[in-house]
């Protein structure tokens, strides 16, 4: 049996090529999410996932994208073979923290659905600022000090521009429209594959920045009565703090989720590094939808030198032999994870 760290993705992972992810999956967790959406008169995750075409109007809007991402992630995690993997830690990127809370047992699944639905609905017609992505690694996925310095200088010099997410080798910056325009003007343009950077994330607010203060205050009022508990599995948050089973403070988890998680930088790199050091995983399991966190995980492994992985070539060689990252989006890796 392998020790597994689970990484729950954020809302940007549900995309055009992930339509149909829930087809044929039996999932008690997704059943709970869909029942909650039905009660509210909103399209269920399965209904949205079964649409013939992917549309921004339906699938990208925050009030739907959050539920789609969490629902598919949890449906995948319901398929993990418990005889093959001992889940020893759970991390969530950005909104994936909410998914992680439910999977690790810090909230009942019905309350997890309520949390995600409430936070997602705050975005309906209420986009606050925005986010851009910028790579800070070289071709071998080691840190590019010049690019990182350019990002740090931009954050330092441009008013209302903030680190939103430290995403492995990528910087996600959040800010006002003026701040994002200024950053896009001074950060050197980079073309990688089909993408040009800085890259604007569509329909995203400036999550994990002080611009979300009003949202955090509203969430603290609307969701204060959720039944928070210590997790059943070790949780690591976006500040790199560890919440141990049964002994962690439910109040600290609540205050972080409805406070710092909303308005302070989410440091996924630090969360992963802490997890590597404290829970000793053999593999990282990345549930769907999508697989866009794969490079962030690899880059965090490289920065840490985890399992002797110190470059992109090291990571690829390991993946081609005894994989350390199992993305449930890819059929060959999924087959290693699910019950036979």
């Amino acid at each position: 049996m392998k020790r597994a760290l689970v990484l729950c993705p954020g809302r940007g992972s549900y995309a055009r090529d992930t339509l149909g992810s829930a087809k044929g999956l039996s999932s008690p967790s997704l059943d709970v999410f869909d029942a909650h959406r039905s009660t509210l008169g909103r399209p269920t995750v399965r209904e949205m996932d079964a649409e013939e075409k992917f549309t921004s109007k339906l699938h990208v809007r925050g009030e739907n994208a959050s539920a789609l991402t969490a629902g598919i992630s949890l449906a995948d995690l319901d398929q993990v073979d418990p005889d093959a993997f001992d889940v020893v830690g759970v991390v969530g990127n950005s909104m994936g923290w909410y998914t992680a809370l439910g999977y690790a047992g810090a909230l009942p699944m019905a309350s997890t659905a309520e949390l995600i639905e409430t936070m997602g609905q705050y975005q309906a017609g209420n986009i606050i600022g925005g986010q851009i992505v910028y790579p800070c690694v070289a071709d071998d996925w080691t840190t590019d000090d010049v690019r990182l310095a350019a990002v740090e200088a931009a954050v330092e010099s441009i008013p209302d521009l903030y680190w939103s997410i430290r995403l492995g080798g990528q910087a996600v910056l959040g800010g006002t429209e003026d701040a994002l325009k200024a950053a896009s003007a001074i950060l050197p343009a980079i073309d990688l594959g089909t993408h040009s950077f800085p890259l604007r994330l569509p329909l995203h607010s400036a999550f994990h920045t002080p611009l979300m203060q009003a949202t955090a205050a509203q969430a603290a009022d609307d969701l204060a009565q959720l039944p928070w508990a210590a997790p059943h599995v070790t949780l690591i948050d976006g500040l790199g703090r560890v919440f141990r089973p049964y002994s962690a403070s439910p109040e600290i988890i609540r205050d972080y989720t409805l406070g710092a998680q909303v308005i302070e930088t989410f440091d996924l790199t630090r969360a992963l590094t802490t997890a590597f050091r404290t829970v000793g995983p053999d593999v990282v399991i990345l549930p769907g939808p999508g697989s866009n966190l794969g490079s962030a995980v690899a880059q965090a492994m490289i920065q840490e030198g985890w399992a002797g992985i110190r470059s992109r070539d090291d990571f690829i060689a390991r993946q081609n032999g005894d994989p350390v990252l199992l993305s449930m989006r890819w059929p060959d890796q999924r087959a290693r994870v699910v019950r036979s």
Side-chain angles (χ1 to χ4, degrees):
M1 178 178 288
K2 290 191 174 183
R3 295 167 61 85
L5 173 68
V6 165
L7 170 56
C8 301
R11 56 167 273 202
S13 60
Y14 195 94
R16 189 177 307 276
D17 62 351
T18 60
L19 274 178
S21 293
K23 184 177 181 181
L25 294 185
S26 175
S27 169
S29 300
L30 183 52
D31 291 344
V32 172
F33 269 66
D34 280 352
H36 186 72
R37 296 271 297 187
S38 291
T39 299
L40 297 172
R42 296 167 186 158
T44 67
V45 171
R46 285 189 175 91
E47 288 169 347
M48 293 186 289
D49 183 64
E51 288 285 327
E52 290 187 11
K53 293 183 179 180
F54 179 91
T55 64
S56 295
K57 183 178 180 180
L58 178 66
H59 297 97
V60 180
R61 296 171 69 96
E63 59 267 33
N64 294 331
S66 298
L68 276 165
T69 298
I72 298 301
S73 292
L74 290 163
D76 268 357
L77 291 171
D78 280 345
Q79 316 307 310
V80 173
D81 186 351
D83 295 324
F85 296 96
D86 176 19
V87 176
V88 293
V90 187
V91 176
N93 177 49
S94 188
M95 185 228 85
W97 168 254
Y98 307 149
T99 312
L101 290 170
Y103 183 64
L107 281 176
M109 199 55 67
S111 298
T112 303
E114 181 182 354
L115 168 65
I116 290 171
E117 195 67 23
T118 300
M119 299 301 291
Q121 289 299 316
Y122 290 160
Q123 300 303 305
N126 187 37
I127 304 299
I128 301 169
Q131 290 175 315
I132 58 174
V133 179
Y134 193 76
C136 296
V137 290
D139 291 342
D140 65 352
W141 288 355
T142 59
T143 301
D144 186 318
D145 292 333
V146 173
R147 291 179 181 176
L148 180 58
V151 170
E152 296 285 12
V155 172
E156 180 70 22
S157 63
I158 298 173
D160 298 322
L161 182 71
Y162 307 92
W163 273 94
S164 174
I165 307 173
R166 293 184 182 269
L167 192 65
Q170 296 186 89
V172 181
L173 304 180
T176 62
E177 289 295 334
D178 287 345
L180 296 181
K181 288 178 182 177
S184 297
I186 68 171
L187 289 171
I190 300 171
D191 291 325
L192 293 175
T194 60
H195 297 297
S196 296
F197 297 88
L199 177 68
R200 181 69 180 262
L201 297 177
L203 301 179
H204 280 225
S205 290
F207 302 117
H208 319 300
T209 76
L211 299 182
M212 305 301 290
Q213 288 276 6
T215 298
Q218 184 174 356
D221 286 340
D222 292 346
L223 297 167
Q225 300 307 311
L226 291 182
W228 305 88
H232 302 153
V233 181
T234 298
L235 270 171
I236 299 94
D237 71 13
L239 299 176
R241 296 182 303 177
V242 178
F243 298 98
R244 299 286 186 182
Y246 309 111
S247 63
S249 164
E251 291 76 23
I252 293 177
I253 295 174
R254 176 200 64 201
D255 292 348
Y256 169 72
T257 301
L258 305 180
Q261 198 273 351
V262 183
I263 63 174
E264 296 182 18
T265 302
F266 196 100
D267 195 339
L268 179 64
T269 305
R270 185 175 181 182
L272 289 170
T273 298
T274 300
F276 296 152
R277 295 175 182 178
T278 58
V279 301
D282 300 309
V283 297
V284 178
I285 293 177
L286 178 59
S291 60
N292 60 352
L293 287 182
S295 60
V297 174
Q299 289 153 11
M301 290 177 176
I302 291 166
Q303 289 181 34
E304 177 68 4
W306 183 73
I309 296 171
R310 302 187 184 281
S311 69
R312 182 175 182 270
D313 288 344
D314 288 345
F315 175 75
I316 292 173
R318 185 64 185 269
Q319 286 296 101
N320 288 337
D322 183 19
V324 289
L325 173 62
L326 297 173
S327 172
M328 297 185 73
R329 173 64 181 162
W330 305 114
D332 59 332
Q333 294 177 20
R334 186 182 186 88
R336 293 174 179 262
V337 175
V338 302
R339 301 181 188 90
S340 58

